[in-house]
Every structure is written in structure tokens, then in C-alpha cells.
């Protein structure tokens, strides 16, 4: 086992924070059973203390040590998708501290599949509580460098595992309340989950019934500082031309259209398939956000199930960036 991973596990045992790569995004990890270490996560992120964290487990962990009354559907999902980008919400076992669950009776669990995360979890030998390793409300990091930029000296060590393969956060399914509820869409789509469960998923609707708190479901999340606006492909040229006439330079994230030759704007092309797009989305947003341009104009991806998780993140980014209407552009 790599010496960095051994040292990282020792730091966790000493109650310190270690950022580590997962296949989705980088996490900011602490010993899930140490409340004072957990408190450091909230301080480093600037995150309200009642927002629950995901506990990352080594593949060798016993699910029943962390959750109770585990329904058979949850076991089937774990079997099918762990290690991987799926988080399950289950009734918590009594050893899980209130600081991890935000005082709720449920706990979020996932076994990630990034090789460095797996080594780290095995070296530590217990659960690692970790939110995404960004400051509260900001874009999740997909490179070690992003973590250092966001959190600096607040974290004792950053394990570098290169660029995250998936690039957006895990799918979250709540199985703690009888029915199965999709709380956050992700790369593992609803149909794949439904086919393992053998029944339909319902989708979280905060207005319809009381649901557990999910900070990722707040509209203002995943937000760049630069105003972000989603524009349908057939309107992209018109919007960008109007910006040019007004003397403005924008950043453009597109997937279907080549950069217009006359454009003064800064173009970033992403892949036209959802997995490739997700892989590069956050680093593109981060890079373009740092350029101090008028706005980030994003070519709206297609509607439909395959793009659902990406549309979810883009709509949140737009809402969080504070653009209210077309007049600002
Ligand atoms: O891909 C991911 O899930 C990444 C990597 C690091 O694993 N983690 C991540 O963590 O995105 P975070 O904290 O940024 O988002 C976790 C989401 C939050 O929206 C939180 O509210 C929700 O999971 N959550 C955690 N525990 C919960 C619970 N008991 N009930 C409902 N939602 C919960
Ligand atoms: Mg997060």
C-alpha cells in the first residue's frame, strides 16, 4: 500500500481532515465516528452543521454496522452498484454520531470505486465521513489542485488521484421510508436503479411531503461567481452576437456548435455525450469562472433521462449564480 495512504489514515485516526479522490468528485474526509473531527469539516467548508454527510465505507465493512432494518432492495442496489457512484439513505445504526447525520435518524452510505479511495478506506478500516471538498455552495472539486485552492491549510493532507472519472456527485436514493426516492440524480440513472429494485422510484418533492434535508437540493448550489445563463442551441448565436454588440466578452460552454469565427468570446467545447460532458463540466466552470468575464453562457443540453443529472447541476448553477432574467446579459 502506498505510504501516502498510510499516512493519510494515521491523520484521520488523529482526528485530522484528509481530502481524497473519489470517482465522482474529491471528498473532505474525517473519521465518521469522531464528532470533534466531524466538526472540523463544517468549519473548513463553512457549511451549516445541520447538513448531513455521506459516510464512505470500505468494501469489507458490514452494512449492518452502519444501518439498521436494511431493506432487501438496498442490499440489491449495494450488490449491483458498489463500489460506485451510488449513495443510499438508510436508518442509521446507533454508533453513527448526530454530527454526521445532522441529528436525523438516517445515514447516507456509499462505497466509492476510485482506487485511491479504496486503498485509503481499507487502510483506515472504518467509515470516512466526507462531503465534497469545496467551500459551502461552491462547485465540487474534480482535481486535487481545486481542493487546495478552495480549502488551503484547513486540510492536513490532499491525496492526489488525478481527474475524477465521473465528474459529478453520486446518485442518492432514499430507502429509509418504505418507498424508494431519488434525492439526487447522477450518472447511475433512474432506470438502472428501478431495474434492480423491480419497482419505480419516486422523485423527491420537497413541497409535497416532508423530506430529509438535502443540501444538494437547495436551488443555490454548485454555483460559480460569474452569472451563468442557459441558452437553447437555436438561440446561442443570437445571444452571443448581442453580447458582442454590447461590447461584452462571455465564456461559452457548448457541445454541439463549433466556436463562431468572429466571436470575441472564450469557448469551451464539452463532449456531446453525457458521461464525457459530466467529466469536464466542473473544471470548465471553475476555469471560466476565474476569468472575470461578463457571463458564462451554457448551450442547453438535450432534455431527457440521459442528461438529467447534468441538467440538474446546470439549473442549480444558474440559480446559484444569481441571474434572474435576460436583462443582465
Ligand atoms: O459523489 C458524492 O456523493 C460526493 C463524494 C465525495 O462522495 N459527496 C458529496 O457529498 O457530494 P455532499 O455532502 O457534497 O453531498 C451529500 C448530499 C447532501 O446534499 C446531503 O444533504 C445529502 O447528501 N445527505 C447526506 N445524508 C443524508 C441523509 N441522512 N438524508 C438525506 N440526505 C442526506
Ligand atoms: Mg457538495
Amino acid at each position: 500500500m502506498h505510504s501516502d495512504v498510510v499516512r493519510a489514515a494515521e491523520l484521520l485516526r488523529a482526528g485530522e481532515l484528509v481530502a481524497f479522490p473519489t470517482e465522482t468528485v474529491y471528498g473532505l474526509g474525517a473519521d465518521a465516528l469522531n464528532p470533534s473531527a466531524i466538526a472540523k469539516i463544517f468549519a473548513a467548508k463553512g457549511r451549516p452543521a445541520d447538513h448531513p454527510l455521506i459516510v464512505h465505507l470500505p468494501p469489507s465493512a458490514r452494512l449492518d454496522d452502519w444501518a439498521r432494518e436494511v431493506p432487501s432492495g438496498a442490499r440489491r442496489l449495494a450488490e449491483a452498484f458498489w463500489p460506485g457512484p451510488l449513495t443510499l439513505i438508510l436508518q442509521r445504526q446507533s454508533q453513527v454520531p448526530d454530527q454526521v447525520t445532522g441529528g436525523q435518524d438516517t445515514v447516507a452510505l456509499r462505497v466509492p470505486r476510485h482506487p485511491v479511495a479504496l486503498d485509503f478506506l481499507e487502510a483506515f478500516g472504518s467509515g470516512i465521513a466526507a462531503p465534497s471538498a469545496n467551500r459551502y455552495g461552491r462547485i465540487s472539486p474534480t482535481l486535487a489542485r481545486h481542493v487546495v485552492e478552495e480549502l488551503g491549510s484547513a486540510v492536513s493532507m490532499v491525496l492526489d488521484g488525478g481527474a475524477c472519472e465521473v465528474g459529478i456527485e453520486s446518485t442518492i436514493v432514499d430507502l429509509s421510508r418504505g418507498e424508494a426516492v431519488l434525492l439526487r440524480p447522477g450518472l447511475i440513472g433512474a432506470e438502472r436503479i428501478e431495474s434492480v429494485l423491480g419497482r419505480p422510484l419516486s422523485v423527491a418533492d420537497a413541497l409535497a411531503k416532508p423530506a430529509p434535508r438535502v443540501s444538494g437540493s437547495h436551488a443555490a448550489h454548485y454555483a460559480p461567481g460569474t452569472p451563468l445563463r442557459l441558452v437553447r442551441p437555436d438561440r446561442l448565436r443570437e445571444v452571443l452576437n448581442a453580447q458582442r454588440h454590447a461590447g461584452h466578452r462571455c465564456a461559452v460552454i457548448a457541445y454541439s456548435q463549433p466556436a463562431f469565427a468572429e466571436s470575441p468570446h472564450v469557448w469551451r467545447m464539452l463532449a456531446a455525450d453525457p458521461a464525457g460532458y459530466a467529466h469536464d463540466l466542473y473544471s470548465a466552470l471553475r476555469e471560466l469562472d476565474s476569468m472575470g468575464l461578463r457571463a458564462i453562457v451554457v448551450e442547453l443540453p438535450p432534455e431527457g433521462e440521459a442528461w438529467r443529472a447534468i441538467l440538474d447541476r446546470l439549473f442549480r448553477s444558474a440559480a446559484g449564480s444569481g441571474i434572474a432574467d435576460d436583462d443582465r446579459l
Side-chain angles (χ1 to χ4, degrees), residues 18-41:
V18 174
F20 64 101
T22 80
E23 72 280 20
T24 58
V25 300
Y26 276 74
L28 178 61
D31 178 352
L33 299 180
N34 179 343
S36 60
I38 301 299
K40 291 183 186 172
I41 290 180

Side-chain angles (χ1 to χ4, degrees), residues 45 47 132 134 140 221:
K45 275 186 70 97
R47 175 163 162 160
S132 51
N134 50 281
S140 295
H221 223 73

Side-chain angles (χ1 to χ4, degrees), residues 172-175 177 179-183 201-205 209:
I172 304 183
V173 178
D174 184 355
L175 293 148
R177 296 180 293 162
E179 58 178 343
V181 185
L182 180 68
L183 295 186
L201 275 176
S202 41
V203 174
D205 180 355
K209 54 178 175 288

Side-chain angles (χ1 to χ4, degrees), residues 7-231:
R7 190 157 65 85
E10 280 162 10
L11 286 167
L12 282 196
R13 278 183 212 108
E16 299 296 326
L17 301 184
V18 174
F20 64 101
T22 80
E23 72 280 20
T24 58
V25 300
Y26 276 74
L28 178 61
D31 178 352
L33 299 180
N34 179 343
S36 60
I38 301 299
K40 291 183 186 172
I41 290 180
F42 292 97
K45 275 186 70 97
R47 175 163 162 160
D50 63 350
H51 285 211
L53 306 176
I54 297 173
V55 176
H56 299 71
L57 298 175
S60 59
R62 279 171 25 95
L63 195 50
D64 302 278
D65 287 343
W66 298 88
R68 64 190 155 78
E69 293 165 37
V70 178
S72 62
R75 291 190 200 279
R76 287 201 304 278
L77 288 177
E79 180 74 23
F81 297 114
W82 284 357
L86 175 70
T87 296
L88 301 177
I89 309 290
L90 297 167
Q91 298 285 325
R92 76 160 153 177
Q93 197 50 277
S94 54
Q95 70 161 342
V96 182
D98 279 340
Q99 287 80 358
V100 168
T101 68
Q104 300 183 69
D105 201 31
T106 55
V107 62
L109 299 172
R110 126 171 158 87
V111 179
R113 71 164 180 239
H114 191 293
V116 174
L118 288 169
D119 279 357
F120 182 35
L121 283 158
E122 285 300 352
F124 184 59
S126 179
I128 300 177
S132 51
N134 50 281
R135 293 193 55 77
Y136 180 61
R138 308 286 302 167
I139 300 161
S140 295
T142 53
L143 288 172
R145 166 163 62 77
H146 299 158
V147 180
V148 176
E149 286 163 13
E150 289 264 330
L151 299 172
S153 60
V155 36
S156 295
M157 183 174 179
V158 181
L159 286 169
D160 191 345
C164 299
E165 173 202 339
V166 174
I168 58 172
E169 305 81 355
S170 60
T171 307
I172 304 183
V173 178
D174 184 355
L175 293 148
S176 69
R177 296 180 293 162
E179 58 178 343
V181 185
L182 180 68
L183 295 186
R184 182 171 71 184
L187 181 82
I188 298 178
E191 342 69 49
R192 288 176 69 197
I193 291 165
E194 287 170 342
S195 78
V196 171
L197 282 177
R199 60 182 167 133
L201 275 176
S202 41
V203 174
D205 180 355
L207 299 176
K209 54 178 175 288
R213 285 181 295 264
V214 185
S215 67
S217 70
H218 291 179
H221 223 73
Y222 311 109
T226 311
L228 185 148
R229 185 168 158 213
L230 292 156
V231 174

